[in-house]
Every structure is written in structure tokens, then in C-alpha cells.
Amino acid sequence: QRLSIDEYKQGILSGNRFVLSRAITLVESRLPEDATHAAKLLEQLMPHTGGSLRVGITGVPGVGKSTFIEALGSYLTHQEIRLAVLTVDPSSARSGGSILGDKTRMTQLSQDPRAFIRPSPAGAYLGGTARKTRETMLLCEAAGFQIIFVETVGVGQSETEVRHMVDFFLLLMLSGAGDELQGIKKGIMEMADALVVNKADGDNIKAAEKARQDFQHALHLFVPPESQVDPQVFLCSSLRQEGVAEVWQFVEDYKKTTQANGYFAENRKKQNLHWFRSMLHYLLEHHFLAQEKIRKLLPAIEQQVSAGTLPATQAAREVMEAVWK
Ligand code: GDP
């Protein structure tokens, strides 16, 4: 059952995890009354948001994301930093369950009082999942988390959305496999502020160093980033907890540099606008398609389009004009 806006607000601002979890559930709910309640709550909380450092972490399944997040996360919480870990898992849209968002993946962090782990909402479609994550992130900020990790499976579906909500984007890679084998698209590499070659341990160290050089070289071929901080490639063994401090130092330096050169604030402004625009698109589409007239019209039109008797462009115009002419 829902709490009052004020109860949610007070609970969240005092850092009550139980209330925070319930507020996230409210944000994730598909019920229209919950959505209205959630929107009011978010509006009240807005002045208390924005204070965290938002870090996106991606990489193909098996690269070691959850092991890395355990290692880096524990490194941070040992410094008394409060960390929230959110996952965006497009596969949950299809399966209705999450392969990623399982607390048992991060056993150490999930027992850490300074860490808060929240898996993807199950059963939401992709655009929706990322949108919920955006709002969940704001709730976590209001609850006082200083660092927020947003984890995605790096298969090229949700990375762009996540890039639009974080300050820093980290890509985990493996050595000994070409990019094509890693399933990482060039576009994702271009979005990264840093690359981490994971599993740089045991027999793998030499190959990892070679991969580091290759990736560093590949990054030089991209256009220089707007942040004016050149992306770097790091070696890391998440399993042995080696190399995470260096990665984090780079993230902190990035924050300092981009705060000084204005990019950090500028980027957040752009992201707010992006968020607004994608919400507007979503609502327009949603309300447009929900109209009685459109719902009646669509099946016949779609049939003609798929049969090839009506060009798609013309069909789309006809649907629009049915409402707005
Ligand atoms: P995810 O699917 O990206 O979250 O990957 P996991 O964190 O679940 O790791 C996949 C497998 O790689 C697990 O068996 C881990 O123990 C292993 N692994 C993760 N990081 C390292 C590492 O730094 N070194 C080695 N040798 N194995 C690792």
C-alpha cells in the first residue's frame, strides 16, 4: 500500500532504505494512480537530487561486471562512501525476469550497509526500463547516496540511454578476443570515458597488456571527446581486487577536470533536456496511439502496409491526418 507523499519524502531524506525501496516500487509501477503519486514525489525531491557522481558500467555478459562492481564498490564503501548500484537489463523485458539484477551476484556488497543494490524492474520494456532507472537514480540521490553505478549488459541496446544519464561511462573488455568477438560495437567504445581490460591475472597478464595497448591505440583514432579528457585504458583483476583504485582515481580526476572546464555541468543540462524530450516523445506516442479513432484505424492500415499496397510514408500521414487534419 502507498504511503503519503510526505511519508515517502521524509523517509527518503532520512536515508531509510525500506522507504526508498518502496518509493522505487512506486516509480516502477504501471498503475496510473501510482504514476501520478510518483511524479508528485519526484517533484518534491528534485531539490535534493543531483549530488551524486553517476557512473555507467557496461560490458558483455561474462566480462566480469558484477565481480568488478563488487571490487570497486567495496573499495568505495570502505572509505565510508555510500553507493547505490542499479542495473538496466533489457533481457528482463523479454523473459519477465532478470539475468543480471540478482542480488546474489554481488554477495559482498549486498550485505554491506553502505551499499544499496537494486535490479531492473522485471517485465518493463526497454525504453521503460531506462526511464525508470533515471527516476530511481534521483530517489537514491535524495536518499544520500554519493556514488551511483548504473550497470548494463553491453550488447548495444540500452547503452546509449544509460550514457545519457551518467557523468562517466566505463566499458569493461577482455583480452585475447577481437572486438567483434567481444560483441562490442564501435559506437559503444566511442561513448566510453575509460576502458578496463578485466581478468588481467594469471596466464592472462601478457595478453591483457597487449589488449590495453591495442585499445589505447584504437581510442586515438576516435574524435577527441567533448569532455576534453582523453579516455584511458586500464588493466584490472576484479577477482584479486587489483587495479580498481587506479580506475577510480581516473574517475575522480575526470570529475575535477570537467567541473573546472564546465563540461560536467553542461553535460548534465543537456541530459536533463534529453530526458525531457524523450519523455515528451514517449507521452505523445502513448496518448496518440491510445486514441479510440487511431486504434480502430490502425489494423486496416497496417494490413495494407504489410501487403505492400500502401506505402509506409503515406500510411503514416493518413493516420496522423485522421486526428489532426
Ligand atoms: P558479468 O556477467 O559481466 O557480470 O561477469 P561476472 O562478474 O559474473 O564474471 C564472470 C566470470 O568471470 C566469473 O566466473 C568470475 O569469477 C570471472 N571473473 C570476473 N572477474 C575476473 C578477474 O578479474 N579475473 C579472473 N580470472 N576471473 C574473473
Side-chain angles (χ1 to χ4, degrees):
Q1 293 332 34
R2 275 198 304 261
L3 303 175
S4 70
I5 303 267
D6 210 48
E7 284 167 326
Y8 280 120
K9 184 178 168 186
Q10 295 316 324
I12 289 171
L13 292 181
S14 66
N16 182 325
R17 288 160 170 266
F18 181 64
V19 175
L20 173 63
S21 287
R22 290 186 62 175
I24 295 174
T25 305
L26 181 78
V27 157
E28 290 171 352
S29 166
R30 290 160 177 242
L31 295 177
E33 316 86 80
D34 284 347
T36 315
H37 212 61
K40 279 190 201 141
L41 175 63
L42 277 166
E43 194 184 346
Q44 296 252 329
L45 289 175
M46 275 317 266
H48 307 276
T49 64
S52 82
L53 181 62
R54 308 161 176 174
V55 179
I57 299 177
T58 193
V60 293
V63 69
K65 290 180 295 300
S66 52
T67 315
F68 177 80
I69 290 172
E70 277 260 274
L72 179 57
S74 305
Y75 171 76
L76 295 172
T77 58
H78 280 132
Q79 299 170 48
E80 315 269 310
I81 291 170
R82 296 182 66 214
L83 165 75
V85 181
L86 314 177
T87 57
V88 178
D89 176 6
S91 68
S92 67
R94 266 172 284 129
S95 63
S98 178
I99 51 158
L100 258 194
D102 193 345
K103 282 192 184 185
T104 55
R105 287 171 72 240
M106 300 169 207
T107 44
Q108 209 180 325
L109 271 187
S110 59
Q111 288 163 32
D112 189 328
R114 292 195 193 91
F116 178 82
I117 302 179
R118 182 78 179 197
S120 292
Y125 55 93
L126 178 59
T129 307
R131 198 174 68 245
K132 306 288 182 195
T133 303
R134 181 66 142 102
E135 295 178 353
T136 299
M137 187 169 80
L138 297 176
L139 294 178
C140 290
E141 286 184 345
F145 288 95
Q146 297 140 294
I147 309 276
I148 303 198
F149 287 168
V150 182
E151 179 195 13
T152 58
V153 198
V155 289
Q157 293 182 65
S158 43
E159 282 64 37
T160 313
E161 266 314 300
V162 171
R163 185 67 195 96
H164 282 298
M165 63 174 99
V166 296
D167 305 308
F168 191 96
F169 196 65
L170 198 67
L171 172 60
L172 262 59
M173 302 285 267
L174 293 172
S175 57
D179 321 358
E180 56 294 340
L181 282 182
Q182 304 206 359
I184 286 290
K185 303 209 168 61
K186 180 170 164 269
I188 297 185
M189 247 177 101
E190 257 167 326
M191 294 192 289
D193 298 301
L195 261 61
V196 174
V197 181
N198 191 34
K199 308 195 186 183
D201 47 43
D203 295 340
N204 207 22
I205 290 185
K206 246 179 140 174
E209 175 53 28
K210 168 84 170 57
R212 192 187 66 74
Q213 290 174 17
D214 289 349
F215 289 139
Q216 193 70 65
H217 184 73
L219 288 175
H220 285 317
L221 304 176
F222 295 153
V223 283
E226 279 179 61
S227 64
Q228 296 176 31
V229 181
D230 288 330
Q232 283 209 19
V233 190
F234 293 87
L235 290 183
C236 173
S237 170
S238 306
L239 209 57
R240 297 186 186 174
Q241 316 214 346
E242 288 167 8
V244 288
E246 288 77 5
V247 174
W248 193 251
Q249 187 60 51
F250 185 73
V251 179
E252 296 232 299
D253 290 347
Y254 175 95
K255 183 183 170 192
K256 273 195 208 114
T257 309
T258 55
Q259 279 181 334
N261 71 18
Y263 177 76
F264 192 91
E266 202 48 48
N267 187 44
R268 284 235 176 143
K269 279 189 195 166
K270 272 193 206 157
Q271 292 181 337
N272 283 339
L273 264 185
H274 173 86
W275 184 30
F276 161 69
R277 287 175 185 156
S278 67
M279 275 309 293
L280 190 61
H281 281 243
Y282 167 78
L283 288 177
L284 278 173
E285 185 184 327
H286 185 80
H287 287 289
F288 182 83
L289 295 176
Q291 291 179 81
E292 180 86 31
K293 218 173 177 180
I294 300 296
R295 281 192 294 150
K296 282 198 178 139
L297 189 64
L298 271 186
I301 296 243
E302 288 193 342
Q303 207 187 354
Q304 293 178 62
V305 171
S306 60
T309 53
L310 182 64
T313 310
Q314 180 57 22
R317 280 178 193 279
E318 278 180 25
V319 175
M320 285 286 290
E321 284 169 5
V323 183
W324 276 321
K325 202 169 180 178

